[in-house]
Amino acid sequence: MVSTSDSTDSSTASTGYTGEVTVGGAPDVRELERLVVTKVAVDPQMSNNCYLLTCRQTGDQVLVDAAAEPEVLLPLVAGGLSTIVTTHQHWDHHRALADVVAATGSEVVAGAPDAAAITEQTGVPVARRLEHGDVVKVGACSLEVIAIAGHTPGSVALLYDDPASDGHAHLFTGDSLFPGGVGGTFGDDKAALFEQLITDVETRIFDRLPDDTWFYPGHGADSTLGAERPHLGEWRERGY
């Protein structure tokens, strides 16, 4: 895995945000000019990351992955949770979905190719099926949907391009991109799916976004695209 200990910026320096969270531990909170990012880890087995995004102007909130432990997630919600984005269909990313929706009445959105599987597994309807280039609103803030196939057919990443004068891009990648590599691929077509995944990650993320883009994965520590970019060729060569 690539070390990210030196990957800091003005917002991390001012708030002390590191992105290092542990199951049972306190959330880590990053306060941007217009958006607050609260990161928490849930479930000792899978150690999933969940991200609560709060618009500072309106109080509207979006939760990225109701992965598990509603008793941990719901106390973080300030009453303005309007939307839950499920980044992909894998079971460990939506175990708390039904409970959080029942408690908040939030709308569920997910990548179109994964939507039916998410509903089948959780019993929760997907109100909006996301396509590449769609926008998810967090009050006055906007998240651009980046579709990245391979880990699952309908995996999505969410891009917040901070409009502050000292801001930069923030990317919530689900299980498609981690420090040290892309997500896993599975089944008889594993090699072809890896090719799809690494190509989407290269063309839709690395070819487009600058090095200071900070990304937040579905498990583990955060990183920046600059820290990972030199290793893209290694990832493609090793095939995972």
Side-chain angles (χ1 to χ4, degrees):
M1 305 295 275
V2 178
S3 171
T4 60
S5 58
D6 295 328
S7 298
T8 58
D9 59 25
S10 60
S11 59
T12 61
S14 62
T15 66
Y17 177 87
T18 65
E20 300 284 348
V21 292
T22 58
V23 177
D28 201 0
V29 179
R30 186 175 207 170
E31 298 200 15
L32 306 176
E33 182 176 290
R34 303 185 189 187
L35 189 74
V36 177
V37 179
T38 302
K39 177 180 182 178
V40 65
V42 295
D43 181 38
Q45 178 187 359
M46 300 301 295
S47 190
N48 289 81
N49 295 327
C50 304
Y51 300 94
L52 183 67
L53 313 181
T54 304
C55 172
R56 297 175 72 99
Q57 178 179 331
T58 68
D60 186 41
Q61 295 179 308
V62 167
L63 179 63
V64 181
D65 285 341
E69 300 182 15
E71 69 276 11
V72 172
L73 299 178
L74 287 169
L76 301 178
V77 175
L81 185 65
S82 63
T83 306
I84 302 171
V85 181
T86 301
T87 58
H88 62 290
Q89 64 176 273
H90 285 161
W91 64 277
D92 59 311
H93 288 261
H94 53 55
R95 288 164 291 167
L97 186 61
D99 288 336
V100 175
V101 168
T104 64
S106 304
E107 177 180 82
V108 176
V109 303
D114 280 12
I118 291 167
T119 297
E120 181 180 356
Q121 294 169 30
T122 66
V124 178
V126 173
R128 182 181 173 201
R129 299 186 174 209
L130 301 173
E131 304 285 354
H132 183 65
D134 283 350
V135 172
V136 176
K137 300 293 289 186
V138 191
C141 302
S142 297
L143 306 172
E144 180 187 339
V145 175
I146 301 177
I148 304 175
H151 183 67
T152 67
S155 290
V156 295
L158 302 167
L159 173 65
Y160 174 64
D161 196 359
D162 188 355
S165 59
D166 61 347
H168 55 76
H170 298 260
L171 185 67
F172 301 87
T173 58
D175 282 3
S176 292
L177 176 64
F178 296 96
V182 296
T185 54
F186 311 95
D188 294 338
D189 295 331
K190 181 176 180 179
L193 291 172
F194 169 77
E195 179 64 27
Q196 175 70 68
L197 176 57
I198 191 72
T199 298
D200 277 1
V201 165
E202 286 182 337
T203 59
R204 295 187 171 186
I205 293 178
F206 282 93
D207 287 355
R208 173 186 172 189
L209 298 171
D211 283 350
D212 63 0
T213 301
W214 189 285
F215 72 87
Y216 308 77
H219 306 265
D222 306 346
S223 187
T224 64
L225 295 189
E228 309 304 321
R229 192 183 302 276
H231 306 281
L232 282 168
E234 299 168 22
W235 302 350
R236 185 177 283 277
E237 183 176 357
R238 77 189 185 195
Y240 64 89

PDB file of all heavy atoms in Angstrom, residues 40-62:
ATOM      1  N   VAL A  40     -16.830   7.704   9.385  1.00  0.00           N
ATOM      2  CA  VAL A  40     -16.904   6.773  10.510  1.00  0.00           C
ATOM      3  C   VAL A  40     -16.728   5.357   9.978  1.00  0.00           C
ATOM      4  O   VAL A  40     -17.137   5.047   8.850  1.00  0.00           O
ATOM      5  CB  VAL A  40     -18.241   6.931  11.267  1.00  0.00           C
ATOM      6  CG1 VAL A  40     -19.425   6.543  10.400  1.00  0.00           C
ATOM      7  CG2 VAL A  40     -18.245   6.147  12.570  1.00  0.00           C
ATOM      8  N   ALA A  41     -16.100   4.489  10.766  1.00  0.00           N
ATOM      9  CA  ALA A  41     -15.920   3.082  10.412  1.00  0.00           C
ATOM     10  C   ALA A  41     -16.909   2.227  11.188  1.00  0.00           C
ATOM     11  O   ALA A  41     -17.142   2.460  12.377  1.00  0.00           O
ATOM     12  CB  ALA A  41     -14.488   2.640  10.697  1.00  0.00           C
ATOM     13  N   VAL A  42     -17.485   1.226  10.521  1.00  0.00           N
ATOM     14  CA  VAL A  42     -18.460   0.341  11.153  1.00  0.00           C
ATOM     15  C   VAL A  42     -18.138  -1.110  10.822  1.00  0.00           C
ATOM     16  O   VAL A  42     -17.547  -1.400   9.786  1.00  0.00           O
ATOM     17  CB  VAL A  42     -19.901   0.665  10.703  1.00  0.00           C
ATOM     18  CG1 VAL A  42     -20.322   2.056  11.176  1.00  0.00           C
ATOM     19  CG2 VAL A  42     -20.053   0.564   9.180  1.00  0.00           C
ATOM     20  N   ASP A  43     -18.547  -2.002  11.724  1.00  0.00           N
ATOM     21  CA  ASP A  43     -18.462  -3.457  11.585  1.00  0.00           C
ATOM     22  C   ASP A  43     -17.026  -3.978  11.719  1.00  0.00           C
ATOM     23  O   ASP A  43     -16.209  -3.782  10.819  1.00  0.00           O
ATOM     24  CB  ASP A  43     -19.054  -3.941  10.265  1.00  0.00           C
ATOM     25  CG  ASP A  43     -18.970  -5.468  10.140  1.00  0.00           C
ATOM     26  OD1 ASP A  43     -19.163  -6.163  11.150  1.00  0.00           O
ATOM     27  OD2 ASP A  43     -18.689  -5.950   9.037  1.00  0.00           O
ATOM     28  N   PRO A  44     -16.721  -4.666  12.822  1.00  0.00           N
ATOM     29  CA  PRO A  44     -15.362  -5.176  13.029  1.00  0.00           C
ATOM     30  C   PRO A  44     -14.897  -6.139  11.944  1.00  0.00           C
ATOM     31  O   PRO A  44     -13.698  -6.215  11.655  1.00  0.00           O
ATOM     32  CB  PRO A  44     -15.461  -5.891  14.386  1.00  0.00           C
ATOM     33  CG  PRO A  44     -16.629  -5.292  15.072  1.00  0.00           C
ATOM     34  CD  PRO A  44     -17.602  -4.931  13.983  1.00  0.00           C
ATOM     35  N   GLN A  45     -15.823  -6.885  11.331  1.00  0.00           N
ATOM     36  CA  GLN A  45     -15.426  -7.860  10.320  1.00  0.00           C
ATOM     37  C   GLN A  45     -14.956  -7.185   9.035  1.00  0.00           C
ATOM     38  O   GLN A  45     -13.903  -7.521   8.495  1.00  0.00           O
ATOM     39  CB  GLN A  45     -16.584  -8.800   9.996  1.00  0.00           C
ATOM     40  CG  GLN A  45     -16.257  -9.811   8.899  1.00  0.00           C
ATOM     41  CD  GLN A  45     -17.464 -10.637   8.472  1.00  0.00           C
ATOM     42  OE1 GLN A  45     -18.561 -10.486   8.991  1.00  0.00           O
ATOM     43  NE2 GLN A  45     -17.251 -11.500   7.501  1.00  0.00           N
ATOM     44  N   MET A  46     -15.728  -6.212   8.540  1.00  0.00           N
ATOM     45  CA  MET A  46     -15.457  -5.617   7.235  1.00  0.00           C
ATOM     46  C   MET A  46     -14.827  -4.223   7.314  1.00  0.00           C
ATOM     47  O   MET A  46     -14.220  -3.770   6.357  1.00  0.00           O
ATOM     48  CB  MET A  46     -16.746  -5.528   6.422  1.00  0.00           C
ATOM     49  CG  MET A  46     -17.406  -6.868   6.163  1.00  0.00           C
ATOM     50  SD  MET A  46     -16.344  -8.023   5.263  1.00  0.00           S
ATOM     51  CE  MET A  46     -16.182  -7.199   3.693  1.00  0.00           C
ATOM     52  N   SER A  47     -14.973  -3.560   8.442  1.00  0.00           N
ATOM     53  CA  SER A  47     -14.449  -2.206   8.638  1.00  0.00           C
ATOM     54  C   SER A  47     -14.775  -1.303   7.448  1.00  0.00           C
ATOM     55  O   SER A  47     -13.898  -0.790   6.749  1.00  0.00           O
ATOM     56  CB  SER A  47     -12.935  -2.239   8.877  1.00  0.00           C
ATOM     57  OG  SER A  47     -12.469  -0.963   9.303  1.00  0.00           O
ATOM     58  N   ASN A  48     -16.065  -1.114   7.233  1.00  0.00           N
ATOM     59  CA  ASN A  48     -16.536  -0.226   6.162  1.00  0.00           C
ATOM     60  C   ASN A  48     -16.456   1.224   6.590  1.00  0.00           C
ATOM     61  O   ASN A  48     -16.705   1.560   7.749  1.00  0.00           O
ATOM     62  CB  ASN A  48     -17.992  -0.524   5.820  1.00  0.00           C
ATOM     63  CG  ASN A  48     -18.179  -1.829   5.116  1.00  0.00           C
ATOM     64  OD1 ASN A  48     -18.219  -2.879   5.749  1.00  0.00           O
ATOM     65  ND2 ASN A  48     -18.308  -1.785   3.802  1.00  0.00           N
ATOM     66  N   ASN A  49     -16.170   2.087   5.637  1.00  0.00           N
ATOM     67  CA  ASN A  49     -16.275   3.526   5.856  1.00  0.00           C
ATOM     68  C   ASN A  49     -17.642   4.018   5.407  1.00  0.00           C
ATOM     69  O   ASN A  49     -18.129   3.640   4.338  1.00  0.00           O
ATOM     70  CB  ASN A  49     -15.210   4.275   5.061  1.00  0.00           C
ATOM     71  CG  ASN A  49     -13.809   3.961   5.518  1.00  0.00           C
ATOM     72  OD1 ASN A  49     -13.568   3.716   6.696  1.00  0.00           O
ATOM     73  ND2 ASN A  49     -12.864   3.973   4.591  1.00  0.00           N
ATOM     74  N   CYS A  50     -18.250   4.874   6.226  1.00  0.00           N
ATOM     75  CA  CYS A  50     -19.467   5.593   5.854  1.00  0.00           C
ATOM     76  C   CYS A  50     -19.156   7.079   5.943  1.00  0.00           C
ATOM     77  O   CYS A  50     -18.415   7.513   6.831  1.00  0.00           O
ATOM     78  CB  CYS A  50     -20.615   5.249   6.801  1.00  0.00           C
ATOM     79  SG  CYS A  50     -20.992   3.493   6.938  1.00  0.00           S
ATOM     80  N   TYR A  51     -19.730   7.847   5.028  1.00  0.00           N
ATOM     81  CA  TYR A  51     -19.451   9.279   4.961  1.00  0.00           C
ATOM     82  C   TYR A  51     -20.751  10.061   5.013  1.00  0.00           C
ATOM     83  O   TYR A  51     -21.608   9.916   4.136  1.00  0.00           O
ATOM     84  CB  TYR A  51     -18.701   9.615   3.671  1.00  0.00           C
ATOM     85  CG  TYR A  51     -17.383   8.910   3.533  1.00  0.00           C
ATOM     86  CD1 TYR A  51     -17.291   7.703   2.833  1.00  0.00           C
ATOM     87  CD2 TYR A  51     -16.224   9.423   4.109  1.00  0.00           C
ATOM     88  CE1 TYR A  51     -16.076   7.038   2.707  1.00  0.00           C
ATOM     89  CE2 TYR A  51     -15.005   8.756   3.981  1.00  0.00           C
ATOM     90  CZ  TYR A  51     -14.939   7.569   3.283  1.00  0.00           C
ATOM     91  OH  TYR A  51     -13.743   6.907   3.163  1.00  0.00           O
ATOM     92  N   LEU A  52     -20.906  10.892   6.039  1.00  0.00           N
ATOM     93  CA  LEU A  52     -22.047  11.791   6.134  1.00  0.00           C
ATOM     94  C   LEU A  52     -21.607  13.165   5.649  1.00  0.00           C
ATOM     95  O   LEU A  52     -20.675  13.766   6.208  1.00  0.00           O
ATOM     96  CB  LEU A  52     -22.552  11.873   7.574  1.00  0.00           C
ATOM     97  CG  LEU A  52     -23.789  12.745   7.787  1.00  0.00           C
ATOM     98  CD1 LEU A  52     -25.014  12.125   7.117  1.00  0.00           C
ATOM     99  CD2 LEU A  52     -24.046  12.971   9.268  1.00  0.00           C
ATOM    100  N   LEU A  53     -22.246  13.666   4.605  1.00  0.00           N
ATOM    101  CA  LEU A  53     -21.917  14.954   4.007  1.00  0.00           C
ATOM    102  C   LEU A  53     -23.004  15.947   4.379  1.00  0.00           C
ATOM    103  O   LEU A  53     -24.192  15.681   4.159  1.00  0.00           O
ATOM    104  CB  LEU A  53     -21.815  14.826   2.488  1.00  0.00           C
ATOM    105  CG  LEU A  53     -20.982  13.648   1.971  1.00  0.00           C
ATOM    106  CD1 LEU A  53     -20.935  13.655   0.449  1.00  0.00           C
ATOM    107  CD2 LEU A  53     -19.580  13.657   2.563  1.00  0.00           C
ATOM    108  N   THR A  54     -22.615  17.091   4.926  1.00  0.00           N
ATOM    109  CA  THR A  54     -23.566  18.088   5.406  1.00  0.00           C
ATOM    110  C   THR A  54     -23.288  19.428   4.743  1.00  0.00           C
ATOM    111  O   THR A  54     -22.168  19.945   4.817  1.00  0.00           O
ATOM    112  CB  THR A  54     -23.477  18.252   6.931  1.00  0.00           C
ATOM    113  OG1 THR A  54     -23.666  16.982   7.559  1.00  0.00           O
ATOM    114  CG2 THR A  54     -24.525  19.230   7.436  1.00  0.00           C
ATOM    115  N   CYS A  55     -24.300  19.992   4.102  1.00  0.00           N
ATOM    116  CA  CYS A  55     -24.198  21.329   3.515  1.00  0.00           C
ATOM    117  C   CYS A  55     -24.217  22.357   4.638  1.00  0.00           C
ATOM    118  O   CYS A  55     -25.166  22.406   5.434  1.00  0.00           O
ATOM    119  CB  CYS A  55     -25.356  21.562   2.554  1.00  0.00           C
ATOM    120  SG  CYS A  55     -25.476  23.254   1.917  1.00  0.00           S
ATOM    121  N   ARG A  56     -23.207  23.171   4.697  1.00  0.00           N
ATOM    122  CA  ARG A  56     -23.116  24.163   5.780  1.00  0.00           C
ATOM    123  C   ARG A  56     -24.181  25.244   5.641  1.00  0.00           C
ATOM    124  O   ARG A  56     -24.618  25.826   6.642  1.00  0.00           O
ATOM    125  CB  ARG A  56     -21.726  24.788   5.793  1.00  0.00           C
ATOM    126  CG  ARG A  56     -20.615  23.789   6.094  1.00  0.00           C
ATOM    127  CD  ARG A  56     -19.248  24.424   5.968  1.00  0.00           C
ATOM    128  NE  ARG A  56     -18.997  25.346   7.061  1.00  0.00           N
ATOM    129  CZ  ARG A  56     -18.274  25.037   8.146  1.00  0.00           C
ATOM    130  NH1 ARG A  56     -17.752  23.838   8.270  1.00  0.00           N
ATOM    131  NH2 ARG A  56     -18.071  25.927   9.086  1.00  0.00           N
ATOM    132  N   GLN A  57     -24.615  25.537   4.426  1.00  0.00           N
ATOM    133  CA  GLN A  57     -25.592  26.609   4.212  1.00  0.00           C
ATOM    134  C   GLN A  57     -27.000  26.177   4.576  1.00  0.00           C
ATOM    135  O   GLN A  57     -27.752  26.937   5.212  1.00  0.00           O
ATOM    136  CB  GLN A  57     -25.560  27.051   2.742  1.00  0.00           C
ATOM    137  CG  GLN A  57     -26.578  28.135   2.395  1.00  0.00           C
ATOM    138  CD  GLN A  57     -26.482  28.564   0.937  1.00  0.00           C
ATOM    139  OE1 GLN A  57     -25.424  28.510   0.326  1.00  0.00           O
ATOM    140  NE2 GLN A  57     -27.593  28.991   0.372  1.00  0.00           N
ATOM    141  N   THR A  58     -27.394  24.950   4.210  1.00  0.00           N
ATOM    142  CA  THR A  58     -28.783  24.523   4.370  1.00  0.00           C
ATOM    143  C   THR A  58     -29.003  23.467   5.448  1.00  0.00           C
ATOM    144  O   THR A  58     -30.133  23.261   5.882  1.00  0.00           O
ATOM    145  CB  THR A  58     -29.310  23.941   3.048  1.00  0.00           C
ATOM    146  OG1 THR A  58     -28.632  22.713   2.770  1.00  0.00           O
ATOM    147  CG2 THR A  58     -29.108  24.923   1.897  1.00  0.00           C
ATOM    148  N   GLY A  59     -27.941  22.769   5.848  1.00  0.00           N
ATOM    149  CA  GLY A  59     -28.096  21.668   6.789  1.00  0.00           C
ATOM    150  C   GLY A  59     -28.504  20.352   6.145  1.00  0.00           C
ATOM    151  O   GLY A  59     -28.613  19.327   6.825  1.00  0.00           O
ATOM    152  N   ASP A  60     -28.741  20.366   4.834  1.00  0.00           N
ATOM    153  CA  ASP A  60     -29.100  19.133   4.131  1.00  0.00           C
ATOM    154  C   ASP A  60     -27.942  18.145   4.222  1.00  0.00           C
ATOM    155  O   ASP A  60     -26.772  18.533   4.206  1.00  0.00           O
ATOM    156  CB  ASP A  60     -29.417  19.449   2.668  1.00  0.00           C
ATOM    157  CG  ASP A  60     -29.943  18.236   1.920  1.00  0.00           C
ATOM    158  OD1 ASP A  60     -30.751  17.488   2.495  1.00  0.00           O
ATOM    159  OD2 ASP A  60     -29.545  18.032   0.751  1.00  0.00           O
ATOM    160  N   GLN A  61     -28.298  16.845   4.298  1.00  0.00           N
ATOM    161  CA  GLN A  61     -27.284  15.816   4.468  1.00  0.00           C
ATOM    162  C   GLN A  61     -27.468  14.674   3.469  1.00  0.00           C
ATOM    163  O   GLN A  61     -28.587  14.319   3.109  1.00  0.00           O
ATOM    164  CB  GLN A  61     -27.331  15.238   5.885  1.00  0.00           C
ATOM    165  CG  GLN A  61     -26.969  16.256   6.962  1.00  0.00           C
ATOM    166  CD  GLN A  61     -27.055  15.658   8.348  1.00  0.00           C
ATOM    167  OE1 GLN A  61     -28.062  15.069   8.724  1.00  0.00           O
ATOM    168  NE2 GLN A  61     -25.992  15.817   9.128  1.00  0.00           N
ATOM    169  N   VAL A  62     -26.333  14.104   3.046  1.00  0.00           N
ATOM    170  CA  VAL A  62     -26.299  12.907   2.215  1.00  0.00           C
ATOM    171  C   VAL A  62     -25.381  11.906   2.898  1.00  0.00           C
ATOM    172  O   VAL A  62     -24.285  12.278   3.350  1.00  0.00           O
ATOM    173  CB  VAL A  62     -25.789  13.222   0.792  1.00  0.00           C
ATOM    174  CG1 VAL A  62     -25.454  11.937   0.029  1.00  0.00           C
ATOM    175  CG2 VAL A  62     -26.827  14.025   0.020  1.00  0.00           C
TER     176      VAL A  62
END
